[in-house]
Amino acid sequence: GKRQSWLRKGDVGLKQQQLRLMAAPRRWLLLAAGASASIHDLVVDRDRRALYRIESFCFVEGGVLELDVSDFRVDGKGDPRAGFAMRRASSESAAQQELEESLEAEACILDWTEGARGDGAVFEMDLSDSTKWADTQTLKHVVKKGEEGLYSLVYARCAPDEGHEGASSFHLEAKFYNPGPSYLSACEAALPKVFAAFSCLFGVCACVWWFLLCRNGKERIHRIHPLMGILLILKTLTLAARAARYAAIDKTGSGGGWADAYYVLASLKGVMLFVVILLVGTGWSVVKPYLSGRERRIVVVVLVLQVIDNLALVIFEEAAPGSREWLKWRDVLHLVDIACCVAILMPIVWSIRHLREAAAADGKAADTVGKLTLFRQFYVMVVAYVYFTRIVVFLLAATLPFGFLWLRYVFAEGATLLFYAATGYKFRPREDNPYLAVRAEELEEFGLEGGGAEEPGKEAAPA
C-alpha cells in the first residue's frame, strides 16, 4: 500500500515541533548539565513529541554506550515506526541542523541519510516490533577506532504521527562512559581542572580585596565593599564545589553530595551577584534608606526572580534531559535570567540620566562629570558581560568542534573574572571613590528621597 508520511506539512504539531527545534540551538542556560551527567533514568508517559534529542556525549575509542528500554508503547492508529539512535556530528549546531533537515525532508530520522551533517556513524535501536514491547530491549556498543566524536541520543516516532493521535511511553535507562571507566564526557574531561583553576584565581582576588579592606581606614570603607568581598568568596566556593562535582561525575556518574553543595552555593552567589550589581548601579552602598522607592522595588523584584531562578536551577539539573519537565524548567531559567539582566540595567540608566541632568546645572558640572563617566563605563561593562556570557559563549559552544567544547566554560569564567576585576578596580576603597557621602542637596540629582544624607566621612546608622 501507499507508504504513510510520518509528518504532514499542514500539521499543527509539526509546526510546534519545528519551532522547538529551531529554538534549541539557543541553549543559553544549559549550565553544568549538558553532556556531563552520563547515567540517565528517563520515564516518558504518552508524550506526543515525534522527534527530540535526549542527551549528548563525547566518546573516545573504547567508550561504551548502553541503552535499556522497558515498558515501551506507541499509541495511535497505524503500524508503529519508532526507536532510538545515537548519531555522530561535528558540533552541537550540526546535530541540531540534521534533525531540522530531516523534518524539512519529511523523512524518518531512523532511515534518513540524505544531507546528514554527521559522517555516517549511527547506532540504532529499532522498537517498531510491537511483539517485543513486553520485554526489556537493550543496546550496547563499544566505540571502535574511527568512531570517536560527539554523539546525540535521539528518540523518533515516525509513525503514527500526531494526526493519527500518536504518542509514546517508555522507561529508558542509559549509561555512557569512556575507558577507565570515566563517566564524564570526553568533551568535558578537562572541566574539573578548569573550575579548580578558576576557583584559585577568584580565591586570590578575594584575598587581595579583603587585604585592601583591612588596610584602608573606616572612612574609605562603605557597606558595598564587604558585600563585594562576600561575593568573591561565594564565587570561589561555587567553583570549587563545581570542580568537585565534575570530578565525582567522572568517577561515579553522579555528582552526589557535591551536587547539593553546588546548588546551595550557586544560589547564594547568584542572589549576591545581582544585589551587588544593583547597589553599585544605583550609586549607593546600603539598600535602605538611601534608595528611592522605585529602586527598592527593583531590588525586591530581582530578589524574587532570583528565588524562582534558583528553584528552576535545582529542578532543571535534577530532571532527566529530554523530559517535558526538563524542557519546561529550561525555558523558565531562560526567561527569568533575561528578566534579571534587564532589571539590573534599569537603575544604572536612571543614575546616568540624573547625573547628566546634574552635570548641566551651574556649579555642579565638575562634581558630577566624573561620576557620569564612571556610571557610563559601568553600564557598558554590565551590558558586555551579560551579552558575552548569555549569548556569545553559547553560540561558540554550538559551533566548536567536539574536542574543544570545554573552552566555552573557560570563556565564560574568564569573562566573569575580568568583569569582577574591572568592577572592583573602579569601585575600590579610596578617598575619591563614588561611595563617599553626598551632600543633602545632591539627593535630588539621583532621584533619592530626603532624610538620608550623612556627614562627610561618617556613615549614617541603619534605619
Side-chain angles (χ1 to χ4, degrees):
K2 186 176 180 180
R3 186 173 65 89
Q4 182 183 35
S5 174
W6 77 295
L7 287 174
R8 295 180 174 182
K9 290 184 179 180
D11 198 327
V12 174
L14 169 60
K15 293 181 180 179
Q16 294 174 341
Q17 183 68 22
Q18 286 177 324
L19 288 174
R20 284 195 294 266
L21 289 168
M22 291 299 288
R26 299 187 298 271
R27 296 172 179 239
W28 292 0
L29 297 169
L30 284 182
L31 303 178
S36 60
S38 53
I39 298 179
H40 305 283
D41 193 333
L42 175 62
V43 177
V44 172
D45 184 31
R46 294 190 58 80
D47 193 334
R48 299 182 64 85
R49 291 177 294 168
L51 176 66
Y52 54 94
R53 293 170 62 190
I54 297 175
E55 182 61 292
S56 297
F57 194 84
C58 295
F59 288 101
V60 298
E61 182 181 357
V64 179
L65 65 94
E66 299 178 5
L67 301 180
D68 293 326
V69 180
S70 58
D71 302 324
F72 187 81
R73 186 179 76 253
V74 174
D75 300 317
K77 302 176 183 178
D79 296 330
R81 179 76 173 102
F84 294 90
M86 287 289 289
R87 304 182 68 89
R88 181 168 66 176
S90 59
S91 65
E92 290 280 357
S93 59
Q96 192 62 44
Q97 186 172 351
E98 184 180 30
L99 298 188
E100 293 169 13
E101 289 180 354
S102 71
L103 284 174
E104 293 173 359
E106 296 186 2
C108 178
I109 194 71
L110 300 175
D111 306 317
W112 186 73
T113 57
E114 297 292 331
R117 294 296 175 182
D119 49 17
V122 179
F123 317 126
E124 293 187 351
M125 175 186 283
D126 192 340
L127 301 172
S128 302
D129 188 353
S130 59
T131 62
K132 298 180 180 180
W133 289 354
D135 303 323
T136 298
Q137 303 186 56
T138 63
L139 169 66
K140 182 174 181 178
H141 181 83
V142 179
V143 177
K144 304 178 181 63
K145 186 177 182 179
E147 293 180 339
E148 306 93 337
L150 170 65
Y151 285 81
S152 295
L153 176 60
V154 177
Y155 174 74
R157 189 193 71 249
C158 305
D161 58 23
E162 292 187 8
H164 291 81
E165 301 179 354
S168 304
S169 303
F170 57 82
H171 179 195
L172 170 68
E173 294 178 336
K175 184 184 293 185
F176 311 134
Y177 55 91
N178 285 309
S182 172
Y183 291 94
L184 196 61
S185 171
C187 304
E188 300 177 340
L191 289 187
K193 295 180 180 178
V194 168
F195 289 127
F198 274 105
S199 178
C200 292
L201 290 174
F202 277 97
V204 170
C205 292
C207 291
V208 171
W209 184 257
W210 283 103
F211 172 77
L212 290 175
L213 297 188
C214 294
R215 185 179 180 183
N216 285 274
K218 291 184 179 180
E219 67 278 1
R220 298 184 181 182
I221 306 299
H222 294 266
R223 294 179 183 176
I224 189 64
H225 294 131
L227 289 179
M228 295 168 75
I230 294 173
L231 173 60
L232 283 171
I233 293 175
L234 288 174
K235 179 64 176 178
T236 301
L237 295 177
T238 300
L239 288 171
R242 200 172 185 185
R245 175 175 177 245
Y246 271 94
I249 291 173
D250 186 30
K251 299 298 183 183
T252 66
S254 172
W258 287 111
D260 298 331
Y262 168 69
Y263 297 148
V264 172
L265 291 169
S267 299
L268 294 175
K269 186 268 300 178
V271 171
M272 185 61 70
L273 172 62
F274 281 100
V275 167
V276 167
I277 292 178
L278 276 170
L279 294 178
V280 172
T282 59
W284 297 98
S285 58
V286 293
V287 177
K288 286 185 177 181
Y290 307 110
L291 292 177
S292 67
R294 64 179 178 180
E295 288 169 342
R296 286 197 294 268
R297 287 191 290 271
I298 287 292
V299 172
V300 172
V301 167
V302 169
L303 290 177
V304 172
L305 288 176
Q306 278 298 297
V307 171
I308 299 174
D309 188 69
N310 294 326
L311 175 64
L313 168 65
V314 174
I315 298 177
F316 170 81
E317 292 275 13
E318 292 299 319
S323 65
R324 283 174 291 187
E325 183 183 43
W326 185 85
L327 292 170
K328 177 181 70 176
W329 286 103
R330 183 198 67 184
D331 294 338
V332 170
L333 272 170
H334 171 76
L335 293 174
V336 172
D337 194 61
I338 292 298
C340 287
C341 291
V342 171
I344 62 175
L345 291 175
M346 294 172 65
I348 309 176
V349 174
W350 295 337
S351 296
I352 291 175
R353 188 182 69 231
H354 289 305
L355 285 167
R356 185 182 294 113
E357 293 171 354
D362 293 338
K364 294 186 177 182
D367 189 37
T368 56
V369 165
K371 295 178 183 178
L372 177 59
T373 302
L374 180 64
F375 278 94
R376 281 176 174 172
Q377 292 172 348
F378 185 62
Y379 176 81
V380 172
M381 287 165 50
V382 173
V383 170
Y385 170 70
V386 169
Y387 182 79
F388 187 84
T389 56
R390 268 62 177 179
I391 300 177
V392 175
V393 166
F394 294 96
L395 291 178
L396 287 173
T399 56
L400 284 171
F402 84 94
F404 298 95
L405 286 177
W406 58 274
L407 286 176
R408 73 172 181 176
Y409 297 98
V410 175
F411 295 146
E413 297 301 337
T416 302
L417 180 62
L418 181 61
F419 175 71
Y420 280 31
T423 302
Y425 176 78
K426 289 185 175 296
F427 295 93
R428 65 191 184 278
R430 54 181 179 177
E431 292 184 0
D432 59 340
N433 71 65
Y435 292 101
L436 285 177
V438 296
R439 298 183 298 274
E441 62 268 20
E442 289 182 301
L443 290 175
E444 292 185 4
E445 297 176 8
F446 289 87
L448 301 174
E449 297 170 350
E454 51 181 307
E455 296 179 11
K458 297 182 180 180
E459 280 199 30

